[in-house]
Amino acid sequence: MGEAGSTPSTQRPAGRQPVRMIFGALMLVMLLASLDQTIVSTALPTIVGEFGGLAHLSWIVTAYLLATTIVTPLYGKLGDLFGRKIVLQSAIVLFLAGSVLCGLSGSMMQLIVFRAVQGLGGGGLIVTVMAVIGDLFSPRERGKYQGVFGGVFGLSTVLGPLIGGFFVEQLSWRWIFYVNLPLGLVAFVIIGWAFSAPGARQRPSIDIAGAALLAATLTALILLVSLGGHTIAWTSPASLGLATGTLAALAGFIAAEHVAAEPILPLRLFTNRVFAICCAVGFIIGFALFGSVTFMPMYLQVVKGVSPTHAGMMLTPMMAGVLITSISSGRIISRIGRYRPFPIAGTAIMTVGLALLATLGVATPTWTACLYMTVLGLGLGLVMQVLVLAVQNAVDYRHLGVATSGTTLFRSIGGSVGVSLFGAIFTATLTSNLATALPAGSALPAATAPAAIHALPSATRSLYLTAFTEALHPVFVHAAAIAALGFALAWFLKEVPLRLTPATPPGDPVAKKPQLSRH
């Protein structure tokens, strides 16, 4: 993996490019993709009120998640084969078409299907944007730019629920999809006009069998972790069938990749120590983070009694921590040319933050919870974008897209598995706690809505809130233990000198810096 390829797709685009303009367009694309992961949440009750179908509510989110995860590695490979420009523009068009269809939906089923269409485009936005950054900037320069994208991602996590709430209250829930159109069109036009990317390889070959088997593997896996323990029992025939299907499709995928001319996820990448460690740490970060932070808005609404909008606002300190360390670490890496200390420090700080969250109780002041979330955010900002940078620097330029999508894929899978397993732990613990704490015959609301819980008699409510917070403890304890495993793995990350141009061989920092227009 040490040689730089000589095909057109492995050579950096020549000429001067208006980098600042392209960078702004890429930030818009990143904002679109990351906003859409959270903006829908505040509109879900309103959508159910209009369409009904409460039992299918989760599929509005799951359909998008499933589609984006399936196509993430495909976009990475297509970008390597056909050039990032055409692939990114195609993803934007598909994402915007899905957004329009979602806004025009006339039923719950239509909305779920169109969310999947939107996800098929959305899955290519983040991973292709990060690969385009690899086309424009050398690894040595890249840190400060990827740090800004990490900040945009963190900021959008907070802005999503707030913007969604505004549209639902002032206009219509349909505008949470229509708002994508002007932003996406501006980004599409700027990228088409200003960005010059390498063209397609001569006679590119598409790994159709590998793509289909990987899609089947990820579909069965995400359905298993999303539905298992909730909609279907873990030991039910459906769960066992999904587990068997996952393993069978995975075995078929591995066999297909061994013989494919252009494998969608080259297995030899896993022999690269940096790639393997970054994928493992990324999986753990997704598992620990998304699997635990999902419960913070529940804690703030149920235990502290704040509104959904205020609960979203109270996540701001965590995202401020992400913003600070993501941008600052990126600038430091570009200045000193070293990245290894940052994932080590980041996973350590994340472990501390999750351990602090495990101490939350009914009487814990709200400002204390915000402080603990800030610690978690500071750690997260030191890890996420640095892993992408390390992988891009350690592989041949011709594998830039597929390596970027690989790290993103493992983080997404970790998040999906974490949300499911931690949800099962929380539900089982809460049920057990309530059975032990409440007197026989105590009446509880059928739903766990905060308003219904706070309407309980004072004594019953106090017991319920205590049981609720105690059910959160094992979630954060397990998350801290998993983050500690990520800390241990981060020590095995190899420091590869950051290259000065994108297409030089890994480990070769000596090259002439490219001439790019900054205007």
Side-chain angles (χ1 to χ4, degrees):
M1 299 189 64
E3 79 281 358
S6 60
T7 61
S9 65
T10 64
Q11 297 303 317
R12 199 177 187 287
R16 297 169 64 85
Q17 300 191 59
V19 173
R20 288 181 179 174
M21 184 176 292
I22 298 171
F23 189 72
L26 295 178
M27 288 183 67
L28 277 179
V29 175
M30 177 67 78
L31 185 65
L32 280 175
S34 50
L35 269 179
D36 227 73
Q37 295 178 354
T38 57
I39 196 173
V40 176
S41 60
T42 51
L44 293 179
T46 306
I47 293 172
V48 171
E50 180 173 332
F51 290 150
L54 179 62
H56 304 296
L57 177 66
S58 63
W59 279 98
I60 298 176
V61 177
T62 302
Y64 185 86
L65 171 67
L66 181 60
T68 54
T69 304
I70 288 172
V71 298
T72 290
L74 181 60
Y75 275 107
K77 188 62 179 181
L78 291 177
D80 288 337
L81 290 176
F82 296 100
R84 238 76 69 184
K85 179 176 179 178
I86 184 63
V87 170
L88 180 56
Q89 287 187 303
S90 299
I92 293 173
V93 169
L94 187 54
F95 177 80
L96 295 182
S99 298
V100 172
L101 291 172
C102 286
L104 296 174
S105 297
S107 68
M108 179 68 78
M109 187 55 63
Q110 286 184 11
L111 181 58
I112 291 171
V113 171
F114 295 149
R115 276 286 281 173
V117 173
Q118 189 187 33
L120 293 176
L125 298 182
I126 294 179
V127 65
T128 311
V129 163
M130 299 309 298
V132 169
I133 292 298
D135 288 329
L136 291 175
F137 304 104
S138 70
R140 183 64 181 262
E141 295 179 293
R142 205 175 296 158
K144 57 185 177 183
Y145 295 104
Q146 288 186 336
V148 173
F149 279 112
V152 171
F153 187 87
L155 184 63
S156 66
T157 305
V158 176
L159 290 179
L162 297 179
I163 296 174
F166 172 81
F167 283 138
V168 169
E169 293 176 9
Q170 303 299 325
L171 296 170
S172 163
W173 64 265
R174 299 177 188 273
W175 277 94
I176 65 177
F177 300 110
Y178 293 149
V179 72
N180 294 328
L181 295 180
L183 299 177
L185 288 174
V186 169
F188 180 89
V189 171
I190 293 176
I191 290 169
W193 172 73
F195 179 42
S196 298
R201 296 184 188 176
Q202 295 177 353
R203 292 194 301 253
S205 173
I206 301 178
D207 179 18
I208 296 176
L213 287 166
L214 181 59
T217 302
L218 295 175
T219 299
L221 176 63
I222 292 177
L223 288 176
L224 176 63
V225 299
S226 299
L227 302 178
H230 304 287
T231 306
I232 56 178
W234 288 113
T235 56
S236 67
S239 291
L240 296 177
L242 286 172
T244 303
T246 301
L247 294 176
L250 178 60
F253 170 72
I254 293 173
E257 297 307 273
H258 276 299
V259 299
E262 288 285 354
I264 190 172
L265 185 59
L267 299 181
R268 65 186 178 191
L269 281 179
F270 291 96
T271 65
N272 183 310
R273 178 172 162 183
V274 173
F275 180 80
I277 292 296
C278 286
C279 286
V281 173
F283 177 88
I284 288 172
I285 294 304
F287 194 111
L289 177 73
F290 296 108
S292 59
V293 173
T294 301
F295 296 94
M296 281 310 300
M298 292 176 57
Y299 169 80
L300 293 170
Q301 292 179 60
V302 172
V303 179
K304 310 312 291 184
V306 303
S307 68
T309 302
H310 283 99
M313 286 292 293
M314 287 178 183
L315 294 178
T316 303
M318 184 177 75
M319 295 312 158
V322 173
L323 191 68
I324 291 169
T325 53
S326 182
I327 294 176
S328 60
S329 64
R331 291 186 174 276
I332 294 171
I333 289 171
S334 292
R335 187 160 56 246
I336 68 175
R338 299 181 62 220
Y339 58 80
R340 183 173 177 266
F342 296 94
I344 295 173
T347 49
I349 295 171
M350 280 187 61
T351 303
V352 172
L354 290 166
L356 290 172
L357 289 173
T359 67
L360 293 177
V362 177
T364 303
T366 302
W367 68 265
T368 302
C370 291
L371 177 62
Y372 294 167
M373 287 188 286
T374 303
V375 174
L376 179 60
L378 290 171
L380 178 63
L382 292 172
V383 181
M384 290 178 65
Q385 300 304 316
V386 179
L387 294 179
V388 175
L389 172 63
V391 163
Q392 290 181 341
N393 181 65
V395 302
D396 286 347
Y397 181 67
R398 62 195 176 97
H399 291 314
L400 179 72
V402 73
T404 303
S405 66
T407 55
T408 305
L409 173 66
F410 277 89
R411 190 176 65 207
S412 298
I413 295 173
S416 300
V417 175
V419 168
S420 176
L421 293 185
F422 285 147
I425 291 173
F426 172 77
T427 302
T429 308
L430 178 59
T431 302
S432 175
N433 289 350
L434 291 175
T436 303
L438 295 180
S442 296
L444 287 175
T448 56
I453 293 169
H454 286 279
L456 293 170
S458 177
T460 304
R461 182 174 68 249
S462 177
L463 291 172
Y464 186 97
L465 295 182
T466 299
F468 188 94
T469 53
E470 289 178 352
L472 287 175
H473 293 168
V475 170
F476 290 115
V477 168
H478 284 85
I482 293 167
L485 176 60
F487 170 71
L489 280 175
W491 284 95
F492 292 93
L493 182 62
K494 182 182 177 182
E495 182 84 67
V496 178
L498 292 175
R499 307 193 300 268
L500 294 181
T501 60
T504 50
D508 180 11
V510 181
K512 184 178 179 181
K513 297 188 75 170
Q515 297 297 316
L516 293 173
S517 169
R518 304 289 167 176
H519 305 291

